[in-house]
Amino acid sequence: MDEWQYLWDHFKFNAEQRLKGFNFFVLLSIFADGGVFTAIDRQFNPVLLVLLGAFIIILALVFWLVDLRSQHLLRLTIPGLKELEKSFPPHSRLFANDSSRHGIIVRYSTAFRGLILCQFVFGTGVVVYGAALWAC
């Protein structure tokens, strides 16, 4: 196996895993959020709200950690890929061109972190709301 194939396979595998992980996070979040709204609508025991909120918080924290690890694994390959693509014509240097053009806001990482943060805040709010109802 040559160096290019090794680096590309590593990058491709980790990029796909990161997207699959994010999709799984979104799916679990939808179900957990739906459970919260159902519990509120049907006026279930407030303890259930506290538990659902805690689950959402844990879910956000776990997926944040998994995403950090995925980002790290992706970053390991980029310097090598940039070095190898120096032999390509300038218009074909995808990693070099991307690193010089992308901004801070328009990135997968920003979208992932934003959604994970929103879920964390939502989960915290649900725990506080459930605890307040429970105390009454």
Side-chain angles (χ1 to χ4, degrees), residues 7-92:
L7 290 170
W8 177 249
D9 287 348
H10 185 273
F11 180 85
K12 181 180 172 186
F13 174 77
N14 286 294
E16 287 174 354
Q17 290 301 309
R18 187 174 185 215
L19 288 175
K20 287 177 185 176
F22 183 70
N23 289 338
F24 190 60
F25 172 74
V26 169
L27 185 65
L28 283 175
S29 295
I30 289 169
F31 283 116
D33 294 353
V36 167
F37 293 122
T38 300
I40 290 171
D41 183 51
R42 297 193 181 164
Q43 299 178 347
F44 289 152
N45 190 324
V47 175
L48 182 61
L49 287 174
V50 172
L51 291 174
L52 284 169
F55 174 73
I56 292 169
I57 291 170
I58 291 168
L59 187 71
L61 289 174
V62 167
F63 276 91
W64 174 68
L65 290 171
V66 168
D67 188 56
L68 284 178
R69 179 66 178 149
S70 294
Q71 283 179 318
H72 173 72
L73 291 171
L74 285 170
R75 285 190 200 119
L76 288 175
T77 59
I78 292 175
L81 289 167
K82 282 182 182 178
E83 188 63 34
L84 287 170
E85 69 182 9
K86 285 181 179 178
S87 63
F88 295 177
H91 64 276
S92 297

Side-chain angles (χ1 to χ4, degrees), residues 58-132:
I58 291 168
L59 187 71
L61 289 174
V62 167
F63 276 91
W64 174 68
L65 290 171
V66 168
D67 188 56
L68 284 178
R69 179 66 178 149
S70 294
Q71 283 179 318
H72 173 72
L73 291 171
L74 285 170
R75 285 190 200 119
L76 288 175
T77 59
I78 292 175
L81 289 167
K82 282 182 182 178
E83 188 63 34
L84 287 170
E85 69 182 9
K86 285 181 179 178
S87 63
F88 295 177
H91 64 276
S92 297
R93 298 177 188 165
L94 303 178
F95 289 94
N97 290 337
D98 182 58
S99 66
S100 66
R101 292 186 183 150
H102 74 274
I104 295 171
I105 296 175
V106 182
R107 297 175 41 196
Y108 280 118
S109 296
T110 304
F112 292 2
R113 288 182 195 138
L115 184 59
I116 290 170
L117 177 64
C118 287
Q119 280 298 106
F120 181 84
V121 170
F122 178 71
T124 303
V126 171
V127 167
V128 169
Y129 179 69

